[in-house]
Amino acid sequence: MSGNTSGRVANKGMEGLAITPDGKTLVGIMQAPLIQDAAVKSTANMVRIVTIDIATGATHEYGYKLTTGSGVSEIVAINDHQFLVDERDGKGLGDGSNAKVKQIFQIDIAGAADITNLNGDAAAAAMVGKSATPFLDLVAALKAHGIDAAQIPAKIEGLAFGQDVLTNGQLYHTLYVANDNDFDAKTAGSNQFYVFGFQDGDLPGFVSQFSAVPEPSTWAMMLSGFGLIGSLLRRSKRSVTVRFA
């Protein structure tokens, strides 16, 4: 609510949801620091993660420290304790500016302290482990493939792992990244899906939720069947594979 004195900031509530590959845990992440956390210097850049045991309903809270983004839009599970988090600002297509911060970080909650009853310095000292550099810097990756910063969506808000694919005998896991254009295509452009390919060495511990691995010809037929049009963009690791508009 707009009159909150504690809890979520208006219009910045639970923004990302994920279920771990084992189906046991529901994970949510706030878009921005809670009002009471933002009021304290040590937690002013901390957003809270909530985990819920689906069988028992037991909950835990963990702290996530923002690096350069103003908030978080999505979280996706790598396995039962590691996750990718979509950290971003509001710059880019839809804001009338050049995209700046659209970064995906890897975190690990294994052994992390529950901060449900913690705040201030105590909560700040217990934030989850996070990769020092982004797993994927989306702005840098898309610019490297000829997409102007002004055409990169401001609201990168969707993450999902897709089906594994075989390309030239190499197995690639797929990560789909999507934007939210707020139903305003004239200002923010169309909804777009960027597909990145990565291998086991790029993301150790990854647990795929898919069992079948289509050959490239099958993959092409699938995309055609969905009515998605894309151009193939190649790089060796963490590569942009397809851009759909």
Side-chain angles (χ1 to χ4, degrees), residues 104-238:
I104 298 172
F105 287 92
Q106 181 179 345
I107 64 169
D108 192 340
I109 65 172
D114 186 332
I115 65 167
T116 300
N117 297 311
L118 300 180
N119 52 53
D121 292 346
M127 284 191 265
V128 300
K130 176 181 178 181
S131 56
T133 57
F135 170 74
L136 174 65
D137 186 326
L138 190 65
V139 174
L142 295 182
K143 286 174 65 177
H145 285 85
I147 301 174
D148 188 85
Q151 297 302 310
I152 297 173
K155 292 189 172 183
I156 296 295
E157 297 196 354
L159 293 179
F161 289 117
Q163 201 163 14
D164 293 346
V165 296
L166 283 171
T167 301
N168 297 325
Q170 297 291 314
L171 181 69
Y172 287 86
H173 310 298
T174 56
L175 175 66
Y176 284 70
V177 181
N179 72 305
D180 175 8
N181 69 352
D182 288 333
F183 302 102
D184 186 4
K186 289 184 178 179
T187 301
S190 60
N191 287 122
Q192 300 188 57
F193 297 83
Y194 304 97
V195 185
F196 293 81
F198 63 94
Q199 296 182 294
D200 288 336
D202 299 317
L203 200 60
F206 172 72
V207 177
S208 176
Q209 297 185 41
F210 298 91
S211 56
V213 181
E215 293 289 345
S217 58
T218 305
W219 182 245
M221 290 176 65
M222 288 169 57
L223 299 183
S224 176
F226 286 129
L228 302 175
I229 301 173
S231 59
L232 188 63
L233 302 171
R234 297 180 180 273
R235 267 174 56 183
S236 58
K237 291 184 178 179
R238 300 181 189 174

Side-chain angles (χ1 to χ4, degrees), residues 31-52:
Q31 180 177 358
L34 299 180
I35 293 171
Q36 63 269 31
D37 290 331
V40 180
K41 183 177 181 180
S42 59
T43 53
N45 63 348
M46 182 189 79
V47 299
R48 293 190 180 237
I49 297 169
V50 178
T51 65
I52 303 172

